[in-house]
């Protein structure tokens, strides 16, 4: 059960007898069901219990969220359906490739706070690269009630460059996002964009430029391109550092 009160002027419009009523105070009551399917996952027994060794098959995450009105103070009735599929696999003499597919759909009208916001992680400062997010996308830049995202990466490991003391790992990344919004006319006093034309970014990361034993520090850059690229090329870049743990 959640109560949200807006503080920066945003309001959400409801139609009642041909009159639009705007609200800035929202109550939600939700029931969530989260499932994970891991085909042929392997385990090892330890003194404290079972420890997962993972699986060679994709992991599938399923979420179902039901919103209730007239129950415990909730004002909105809706259904959310979400799926995530991810896998990493090693290719001999090439490195490790990974992919993640994420999609969500909301059946029902909701205010801004409970819609999908694009998974952006951009910051003007030199910040850490966040895997499976959009590192050039601004926070809450996009708004949608249905979306699909694809994250692709390939880590060449030490195959491209390696010396006796300097062994960085080089990775390339491409991320894509598309979505739409069914009730854009109900949101007032806020700027947003809907990503129906497709959002794209690619990046180059170098891990373990400094290898400090237990952890490694590196860096890289992402570039935003396509329909939602900014007119000034410099605004499309995002510079990041990486932090990896060595086990």
């Amino acid at each position: 059960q959640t109560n949200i009160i807006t503080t920066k002027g945003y309001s959400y419009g409801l139609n009642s007898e041909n009159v639009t009523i705007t609200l800035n105070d929202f109550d939600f009551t939700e029931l969530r069901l989260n499932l994970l399917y891991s085909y042929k996952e392997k385990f090892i027994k330890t003194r404290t219990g079972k420890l997962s060794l993972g699986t060679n098959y994709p992991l599938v995450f399923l979420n179902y969220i039901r919103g209730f009105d007239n129950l415990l103070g909730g004002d909105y009735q809706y259904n959310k359906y979400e799926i995530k599929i991810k896998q990493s696999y090693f290719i001999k003499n090439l490195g490790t490739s990974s992919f993640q597919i994420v999609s969500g759909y909301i059946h029902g009208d909701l205010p801004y706070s409970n819609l999908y916001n694009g998974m952006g992680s951009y910051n003007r400062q030199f910040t850490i690269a966040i895997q499976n997010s959009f590192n050039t996308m601004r926070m809450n830049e996009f708004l949608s009630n249905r979306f699909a995202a694809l994250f692709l990466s390939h880590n060449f490991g030490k195959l491209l460059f390696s010396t006796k003391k300097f062994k960085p790992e080089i990775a390339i990344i491409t991320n894509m996002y598309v979505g739409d919004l069914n009730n854009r006319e109900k949101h007032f006093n806020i700027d947003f964009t809907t990503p129906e034309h497709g959002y794209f970014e690619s990046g180059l990361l170098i891990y373990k430029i400094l290898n400090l034993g237990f952890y490694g520090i590196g860096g890289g850059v992402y570039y935003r391109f396509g329909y939602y690229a900014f007119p000034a090329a410099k605004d499309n870049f995002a510079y990041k550092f990486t932090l990896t743990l060595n086990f």
Side-chain angles (χ1 to χ4, degrees), residues 45 64 67-68 77 98 109 120-121 126 155 160 192 224 231 238:
K45 289 184 178 180
Y64 172 68
F68 297 93
Q77 181 173 297
S98 302
D109 288 344
S121 60
F126 198 80
N155 189 331
L160 298 183
F192 62 86
R224 168 179 180 154

Side-chain angles (χ1 to χ4, degrees), residues 57-190:
Y57 296 89
L59 293 174
V60 180
F61 301 80
L62 297 170
N63 298 333
Y64 172 68
I65 303 167
R66 171 69 174 180
F68 297 93
D69 60 354
N70 300 317
L71 177 64
L72 299 177
D75 293 328
Y76 300 90
Q77 181 173 297
Y78 53 92
N79 295 286
K80 280 187 178 182
Y81 308 93
E82 299 171 349
I83 184 172
K84 178 171 68 175
I85 304 172
K86 67 177 185 177
Q87 185 182 19
S88 296
Y89 48 94
F90 177 75
I91 304 174
K92 188 176 181 180
N93 297 323
L94 283 178
T96 302
S97 288
S98 302
F99 75 86
Q100 179 168 294
I101 301 170
V102 186
S103 184
Y105 172 69
I106 301 172
H107 181 259
D109 288 344
L110 286 177
Y112 185 99
S113 60
N114 279 39
L115 296 171
Y116 298 116
N117 63 7
M119 298 186 290
S121 60
Y122 173 83
N123 193 301
R124 290 184 180 180
Q125 299 175 346
F126 198 80
T127 56
I128 192 168
I130 300 178
Q131 195 174 28
N132 298 321
S133 75
F134 293 91
N135 286 266
T136 61
M137 184 186 293
R138 277 53 177 170
M139 298 288 187
N140 300 313
E141 181 178 355
F142 293 96
L143 195 66
S144 60
N145 74 298
R146 56 180 177 175
F147 80 95
L150 174 63
F151 302 94
L152 300 171
S153 66
H154 183 81
N155 189 331
F156 293 97
K158 302 170 185 177
L159 295 172
L160 298 183
F161 184 86
S162 179
T163 66
K164 187 175 181 180
K165 295 185 177 180
F166 185 52
K167 299 180 180 181
E169 298 181 5
I170 299 174
I172 54 175
I173 299 99
T174 293
N175 302 325
M176 312 171 201
Y177 185 90
V178 66
D180 197 7
L181 181 63
N182 65 337
N183 64 349
R184 64 186 70 197
E185 74 284 352
K186 294 186 177 182
H187 305 278
F188 298 93
N189 303 321
I190 194 166

Side-chain angles (χ1 to χ4, degrees), residues 226-239:
Y227 185 89
Y228 297 105
F230 294 116
K234 64 181 180 64
D235 295 330
N236 294 309
F237 286 96
Y239 302 95

Side-chain angles (χ1 to χ4, degrees), residues 9-73:
Y10 168 77
S11 59
Y12 178 68
L14 291 178
N15 294 322
S16 177
E17 297 180 355
N18 297 322
V19 176
T20 299
I21 302 171
T22 57
L23 306 172
N24 65 352
D25 189 337
F26 315 111
D27 289 293
F28 304 97
T29 300
E30 291 186 342
L31 177 67
R32 295 169 175 259
L33 176 65
N34 303 320
L35 300 175
L36 166 62
Y37 180 64
S38 180
Y39 182 63
K40 290 191 175 181
E41 184 176 8
K42 296 179 180 179
F43 296 88
I44 185 173
K45 289 184 178 180
T46 69
R47 292 182 178 179
T48 57
K50 292 194 301 182
L51 178 66
S52 174
L53 298 177
T55 175
N56 294 326
Y57 296 89
L59 293 174
V60 180
F61 301 80
L62 297 170
N63 298 333
Y64 172 68
I65 303 167
R66 171 69 174 180
F68 297 93
D69 60 354
N70 300 317
L71 177 64
L72 299 177

